Amino acid sequence: MPSITRRRALSGAAALLTGFAGCSGESSSSSSYPPEEIGNVELNPESYTLRNPERAPTVWTGERPTSRDDEERPHRRHHLFVTGSDDAAGVSFADVDGADGARDFLDATDYDAATVYIEQWTIEECFTPDLCSVRWSEDDIDTSYTRRYRDADVACAADAEDVVVTIIRIPEAFDPSDINGYGSSRGSGTCERENERIRRRRNASDDSGGSR
């Protein structure tokens, strides 16, 4: 498949916004929220993924990161919101396979009805991520992934990492400047199983009169 005031200026639009110093290891920070805190959830959201075999920034706004940033930035998770065509025009991608498709994904977004959330992070070279869901509220945003082995004909090294960019289309136009909490979980199961857990929690919240 892939309200907050909208038009306030996006803070830090000239640079990638840094979230937390998360590396490529497993995290479960967003996998245990109780039913009343589920908020807005999109399962299997529309998304587009880029992969860079070099440990270098793959998406940015403003000037291209310096060589020092090239060494440091991929070690940390970065995130960026795109709320309109002007923002989209300011996003740049490295010269990697699929970059043109990423640009088309941004340009095809109806920003009157959607907001784009971009995550840049690292993953072990032998694995590929599947985006299961995105959850958002007025002040935080969480993503949930599973990971699986890449196809057997893909050469990889167990101790190497790639940079991954996930471009997520959230089906709501909102102003992200109030968002100050970021989280992401990566499990080893399937999205079907992870999303079923969310459905059960959401149904439990509805039955108890909680918010969705």
Side-chain angles (χ1 to χ4, degrees), residues 35-184:
E36 62 272 16
E37 295 181 4
I38 289 178
N40 305 297
V41 180
E42 180 75 358
L43 306 181
N44 302 311
E46 294 180 342
S47 64
Y48 190 93
T49 300
L50 290 176
R51 188 166 190 134
N52 190 348
E54 298 182 8
R55 290 181 56 81
T58 305
V59 60
W60 62 89
T61 58
E63 296 295 323
R64 193 186 192 285
T66 65
S67 57
R68 181 177 178 182
D69 289 332
D70 287 349
E71 296 174 0
E72 296 177 353
R73 284 191 171 187
H75 295 276
R76 303 193 302 272
R77 181 179 295 270
H78 297 264
H79 41 262
L80 169 71
F81 287 97
V82 182
T83 61
S85 55
D86 289 343
D87 286 345
V91 177
S92 298
F93 298 102
D95 185 15
V96 296
D97 288 345
D100 289 343
R103 172 64 57 195
D104 291 343
F105 186 87
L106 291 182
D107 292 343
T109 300
D110 177 4
Y111 292 102
D112 288 329
T115 302
V116 169
Y117 176 56
I118 302 176
E119 287 188 305
Q120 176 176 266
W121 44 292
T122 55
I123 190 171
E124 295 91 336
E125 194 177 61
C126 293
F127 289 92
T128 190
D130 289 325
L131 175 65
C132 301
S133 66
V134 59
R135 180 178 67 90
W136 70 99
S137 68
E138 292 188 359
D139 56 10
D140 68 8
I141 186 163
D142 294 89
T143 50
S144 175
Y145 295 86
T146 61
R147 68 173 196 170
R148 55 185 169 81
Y149 282 106
R150 299 173 76 182
D151 293 340
D153 59 351
V154 175
C156 66
D159 58 349
E161 290 182 326
D162 291 342
V163 175
V164 170
V165 171
T166 310
I167 308 170
I168 306 166
R169 190 176 287 149
I170 299 173
E172 179 182 347
F174 65 89
D175 176 7
S177 61
D178 287 333
I179 291 181
N180 52 38
Y182 300 86
S184 188

